[in-house]
Amino acid sequence: MVTLHEVGGNAKTSYGVYVNKSLIDLTGWENGDSLRITVVDRDLILVTRESMPTEQWIELYDAATAGKSVDELTPVELVRLLDVGDGEDGRRPSTVSSLAPLGDSGHRILLTNAANRLQLRQGTGIRRRVDEGVVVLIPAPTATDEVDERADAVLKARGAQLSG
């Protein structure tokens, strides 16, 4: 488990989470990769390459959600989910960020919108689950057996995608 940390350098408060080099190696990501960061059901965060094929992303989202699958969403809900419109709280459920190196030992994933949407603060514990091309982040305040099962389902779905 790591903790959410504040990232300085701009006028607003930004938040990030550290992911060590070995976990990034498991994902296959590289410095500067564009990442899609999606808050799912207000209790976990799905991080994938922005360039992941839409069909694959939908399978992972559907595995992550306890609510409606993408096929069950109304057009308005789908537009909001896919980073086109703002949510009721004025924040988008999905954002795009770049993978940023933190020295030789790891990387930072910026999670500012996700942290604000989930009302997380600096020092909040975050569990990381990783498979090739995907990271599932589980904030300690929302960690339950049910959320862990959904994170496992995401990793299993990703494994199935990769195996063919």
Side-chain angles (χ1 to χ4, degrees):
M1 185 176 301
V2 294
T3 58
L4 190 69
H5 60 269
E6 272 190 28
V7 179
N10 59 17
K12 67 175 188 159
T13 301
S14 297
Y15 296 99
V17 66
Y18 173 78
V19 182
N20 63 31
K21 185 179 181 335
S22 63
L23 291 181
I24 291 299
D25 288 346
L26 285 172
T27 66
W29 297 342
E30 298 178 8
N31 291 341
D33 275 354
S34 185
L35 304 176
R36 177 175 297 279
I37 300 162
T38 306
V39 174
V40 181
D41 297 349
R42 303 191 64 84
D43 52 18
L44 64 79
I45 302 166
L46 178 64
V47 185
T48 61
R49 268 195 179 117
E50 183 185 20
S51 62
M52 175 180 274
T54 302
E55 301 78 26
Q56 291 181 2
W57 183 87
I58 288 170
E59 285 179 43
L60 300 181
Y61 177 86
D62 286 351
T65 186
K68 294 179 180 179
S69 69
V70 170
D71 287 345
E72 298 170 326
L73 296 174
T74 67
V76 171
E77 291 169 327
L78 188 58
V79 167
R80 285 186 182 141
L81 176 66
L82 296 178
D83 199 21
V84 177
D86 292 339
E88 291 174 8
D89 60 358
R91 301 190 185 284
R92 294 178 174 153
S94 291
T95 56
V96 175
S97 182
S98 294
L99 187 63
L102 276 179
D104 293 334
S105 61
H107 294 76
R108 173 188 299 134
I109 299 174
L110 286 177
L111 303 172
T112 303
N113 281 352
N116 287 332
R117 189 172 186 83
L118 296 174
Q119 299 178 343
L120 306 177
R121 296 291 166 245
Q122 179 173 331
T124 301
I126 308 275
R127 286 198 314 224
R128 304 158 298 172
R129 307 285 305 278
V130 177
D131 199 346
E132 188 171 324
V134 64
V135 173
V136 180
L137 302 171
I138 305 169
T142 64
T144 64
D145 290 342
E146 187 264 337
V147 172
D148 285 340
E149 288 171 10
R150 290 180 14 233
D152 287 341
V154 169
L155 300 180
K156 286 178 187 171
R158 184 62 180 155
Q161 290 173 347
L162 297 173
S163 67

